[in-house]
Amino acid sequence: QVQLVESGGGLVQPGGSLRLSCAASGSIFSLLTMGWYRQAPGKQRDLVATLSRAGSTNYADSVKGRFTISRDNAKNTVYLQMNILKPEDTAVYYCKVFVRLDKGVFDFWGQGTQVTISS
């Protein structure tokens, strides 16, 4: 079993910054692709950014140049540095990781952390 614990959400003013963290624990052979998604009220869950174990990144157009995804493999943790935040970035942010376990590769979701951008 794998547990994901997210942290770092909160309320900030437009133009501000936040850093989200997602730490994985459990019987993990290796963490593969790690990513962040977000879901605003009444909308579908959308990709924000992903980062492969090899270091390849993928960002939603709406966050390019403002958000940076990174990971610390030694800590089994993925981060999302969010700068120049806008009200439209308000959403619940979820991390998703693909994990190699003894029985194969599985994906897991975090519990979500609320990010609110408002003055």
Side-chain angles (χ1 to χ4, degrees), residues 91-113:
V92 178
Y93 284 69
Y94 299 89
C95 67
K96 179 180 180 180
V97 299
F98 287 87
V99 181
R100 185 181 303 281
L101 304 177
D102 56 349
K103 296 182 179 180
V105 176
F106 301 86
D107 63 301
F108 296 88
W109 288 91
Q111 81 282 4
T113 184

Side-chain angles (χ1 to χ4, degrees), residues 7 9 21 42 64 87 107:
S7 61
S21 300
K64 285 180 180 177
D107 63 301

Side-chain angles (χ1 to χ4, degrees), residues 20-22 34-36 69-71 76-80 95 97:
L20 305 183
S21 300
C22 175
M34 308 177 79
W36 290 93
I69 188 171
S70 61
R71 61 194 286 169
N76 288 341
T77 300
V78 61
Y79 305 96
L80 186 68
C95 67
V97 299

Side-chain angles (χ1 to χ4, degrees), residues 15-17 38 48-49 57-69 80-86 89:
S17 298
R38 66 186 181 186
V48 176
T57 57
N58 182 40
Y59 292 94
D61 288 343
S62 60
V63 307
K64 285 180 180 177
R66 300 188 297 123
F67 291 11
T68 302
I69 188 171
L80 186 68
Q81 177 67 45
M82 305 186 293
N83 299 326
I84 317 175
L85 284 160
K86 304 176 181 180
D89 294 319

